[in-house]
Amino acid sequence: MAKEINTIGVLTSGGDAPGMNAAIRAVVRQALSKGKKVKGIKRGYAGLLNEEIVDMDSKSVSDTISRGGTILQTARCKEFVTAEGQQKGAEICKKHGIDAIVVIGGDGSFQGAQKLAALGINTIGLPGTIDLDIACTDYTIGFDTACNTAMEAIDKVRDTSTSHERCSIIEVMGRGAGYIALWCGLANGAEEVLLPEKYDNNLEALIERVAHARELGKQHYIIINAEGVGHSQEMAKEIEAATGIETRATILGHMQRGGSPSCKDRVYATIMGAMAVDLLCEGKSNRVVAHKDGNFVDFDIDDALAMKKSVDEYMYDISKSLV
């Protein structure tokens, strides 16, 4: 029979994402409603190893659901990648009476959760990343807000680009994944979407398309470039040199991580946080909460980390055909 869970820890790890606070709030209040104690672990696994652990109550998460970032803060921790660091982390959990931990982050964070589970600390992972690059889930906390932030910024760039009859390259975040770029490509009606999963590095062909569009009388040319492709400034210089069309690169950067989370990110993160606590109270461990095919489900972390993900081919095809 599984050991009863009395105290649940919660931490955020890796890059911050809008909606993380909604997830933290749900973990805290759902746990309290079930008679459990909650401890917040600051600065991710680094904070765990440094014993930056605080008691949390309902008031700890008051007025946080609308806030961006993470109230627990976050950090990356090289020490926790080592077996010694993982063992130390499990021992610190036991020292503080933490029976289980909810880890909010991406694949790297889940690997840490996986190791803690193997060392006897029940763990549940919540997919918190703006990149949407976790294979087991169709939704990750923060993606919706990041897309809306980028979309609004791209609309503004389009206005000035049209006024000056420019070509604009707008680089969005996503690390090695092109999901923000693809969604914004469709939402903003971009002429080009460059994805790390698809881009062929044929800049000459891109230049030809830009020049042809100008010949047809197009007043602007919007290229949305994924972070994983990069080189936006260099591309802009080469396009302008080859075509004579004024070309500017705009890198949106970390603004996409900030801001008040969207309704979807608040609601989905809340459901995921509550579900994580429910799973722990059922005696489950080494699981990831996901949203798949319209349902909230959970997967074994080992299985989740082994899954592969690719961009939606139909979305990509229509991003090219609806120009």
Side-chain angles (χ1 to χ4, degrees):
M1 184 175 177
K3 176 187 172 184
E4 182 182 357
I5 300 297
N6 294 308
T7 302
I8 297 173
V10 57
L11 64 81
T12 51
S13 176
D16 63 309
M20 280 184 165
N21 287 328
I24 295 167
R25 174 181 177 272
V27 169
V28 171
R29 294 196 170 174
Q30 184 75 346
L32 293 173
S33 75
K34 291 179 175 291
K36 311 301 180 185
K37 296 178 181 178
V38 186
K39 291 184 182 285
I41 301 165
K42 294 191 171 184
R43 298 180 181 84
Y45 293 120
L48 174 62
L49 296 184
N50 290 327
E51 300 189 53
E52 297 180 57
I53 299 168
V54 296
D55 292 323
M56 299 190 78
D57 57 21
S58 185
K59 190 176 179 181
S60 303
V61 290
S62 294
D63 301 324
T64 60
I65 197 168
S66 62
R67 289 171 56 183
T70 162
I71 59 170
L72 290 176
Q73 299 175 291
T74 184
R76 303 188 190 278
C77 182
K78 292 182 179 178
E79 185 181 355
F80 203 77
V81 176
T82 67
E84 293 79 10
Q86 294 153 11
Q87 183 64 49
K88 180 181 176 182
E91 290 171 359
I92 289 170
C93 286
K94 293 168 185 175
K95 173 183 174 182
H96 288 266
I98 297 172
D99 309 302
I101 290 184
V102 177
V103 174
I104 309 168
D107 282 346
S109 304
F110 293 167
Q111 290 171 10
Q114 183 185 45
K115 301 302 183 184
L116 284 176
L119 293 168
I121 308 299
N122 287 15
T123 57
I124 303 292
L126 299 187
T129 168
I130 67 169
D131 302 332
L132 195 65
D133 60 351
I134 298 175
C136 70
T137 185
D138 298 329
Y139 162 84
T140 58
I141 296 167
F143 175 73
D144 187 64
T145 305
C147 281
N148 279 289
T149 298
M151 178 188 71
E152 292 170 7
I154 294 164
D155 281 343
K156 291 175 172 63
V157 173
R158 178 190 290 278
D159 290 343
T160 187
S161 186
T162 302
S163 298
H164 290 269
E165 296 182 278
R166 286 177 180 148
C167 171
S168 289
I169 302 174
I170 305 161
E171 186 173 313
V172 298
M173 294 183 79
R175 294 191 304 172
Y179 300 105
I180 295 175
L182 180 57
W183 279 62
C184 287
L186 290 171
N188 293 102
E191 282 67 38
E192 297 278 349
V193 183
L194 307 183
L195 310 179
E197 299 91 340
K198 294 290 185 180
Y199 184 51
D200 59 6
N201 291 300
N202 190 343
L203 186 57
E204 289 185 7
L206 175 59
I207 289 170
E208 288 176 7
R209 293 193 294 273
V210 173
H212 182 62
R214 179 54 54 91
E215 289 171 3
L216 295 176
K218 197 157 186 64
Q219 291 183 309
H220 61 254
Y221 202 90
I222 303 297
I223 301 169
I224 299 180
N225 187 27
E227 181 181 20
V229 175
H231 308 294
S232 296
Q233 299 286 359
E234 291 81 359
M235 282 185 186
K237 291 176 183 177
E238 293 195 41
I239 290 171
E240 182 167 331
T243 65
I245 299 169
E246 187 179 16
T247 304
R248 294 288 181 270
T250 302
I251 299 174
L252 298 184
H254 286 82
M255 67 179 292
Q256 294 156 90
R257 288 197 184 280
S260 183
S262 66
C263 179
K264 183 173 184 177
D265 276 331
R266 297 185 198 192
V267 172
Y268 278 31
T270 296
I271 293 170
M272 287 179 158
M275 187 172 175
V277 172
D278 290 344
L279 290 171
L280 289 172
C281 291
E282 292 168 13
K284 295 184 178 180
S285 178
N286 205 47
R287 310 294 293 179
V288 175
V289 176
H291 189 261
K292 196 75 174 173
D293 300 324
N295 299 302
F296 290 97
V297 296
D298 60 284
F299 292 97
D300 181 271
I301 287 182
D302 300 348
D303 294 339
L305 289 172
M307 294 179 186
K308 303 297 181 185
K309 189 172 189 176
S310 58
V311 295
D312 187 306
E313 292 291 340
Y314 186 67
M315 285 182 69
Y316 179 67
D317 288 343
I318 63 174
S319 75
K320 296 188 293 182
S321 64
L322 298 182
V323 176

